[in-house]
Amino acid sequence: LGCTAEECLAVEEDGAKHVFISKVVEGGNAEKAGIMVGDVIVGVTGTFEDLVNVAGLGIEKVQAFIAGRSPDEVLSILVARGSDVMARHESALVDLCTLPEKDINLENCLTSLNGYDMGFEEDAPTV
């Protein structure tokens, strides 16, 4: 798809697990479709070509819908732009690495946590 998505680590009162775009591959389908870093995925094409609301459902649900599409099928992704989800995720990462009871090197901790992503970087025919 030409992008990497991550699940926000910030705890939501309603239990929502927002999925946002953390990386867009230059020249990839995601960039061509106008997807930008920080966009939050709120809808994905479902089994019957309908757009399914995935806002707050987490990375596993989003991945399941995307993986369920064959490479020759059109995939539609609806995003919300301008939210603070990515900023709250980054703040939660820093909080995880600065717990007072642990002697952790902040830079190593953030690098380790940021190294985990649910990459959608292979380009499919259409985003």
Side-chain angles (χ1 to χ4, degrees):
L1 298 176
C3 65
T4 301
E6 293 184 47
E7 186 173 282
C8 182
L9 294 176
V11 177
E12 300 291 339
E13 287 184 23
D14 62 357
K17 297 177 180 177
H18 299 290
V19 177
F20 67 95
I21 303 300
S22 61
K23 178 181 175 186
V24 175
V25 176
E26 188 175 333
N29 286 334
E31 182 185 58
K32 291 174 186 173
I35 292 176
M36 299 173 66
V37 170
D39 285 352
V40 177
I41 299 175
V42 296
V44 178
T45 307
T47 306
F48 301 106
E49 303 300 321
D50 54 333
L51 196 64
V52 178
N53 180 355
V54 295
L57 296 182
I59 193 83
E60 289 180 9
K61 291 282 188 186
V62 172
Q63 278 187 311
F65 281 111
I66 292 172
R69 309 289 297 171
S70 77
D72 60 331
E73 292 180 297
V74 173
L75 172 66
S76 296
I77 297 176
L78 180 65
V79 298
R81 186 162 292 153
S83 77
D84 66 346
V85 169
M86 189 167 144
R88 288 186 297 110
H89 171 77
E90 291 169 348
S91 179
L93 278 175
V94 171
D95 290 346
L96 283 171
C97 290
T98 56
L99 296 175
E101 66 271 5
K102 296 186 178 187
D103 185 22
I104 298 175
N105 179 303
L106 180 61
E107 184 175 341
N108 288 340
C109 181
L110 291 174
T111 301
S112 173
L113 289 171
N114 255 344
Y116 177 77
D117 66 49
M118 306 304 273
F120 300 127
E121 293 186 14
E122 58 186 66
D123 272 338
T126 307
V127 174

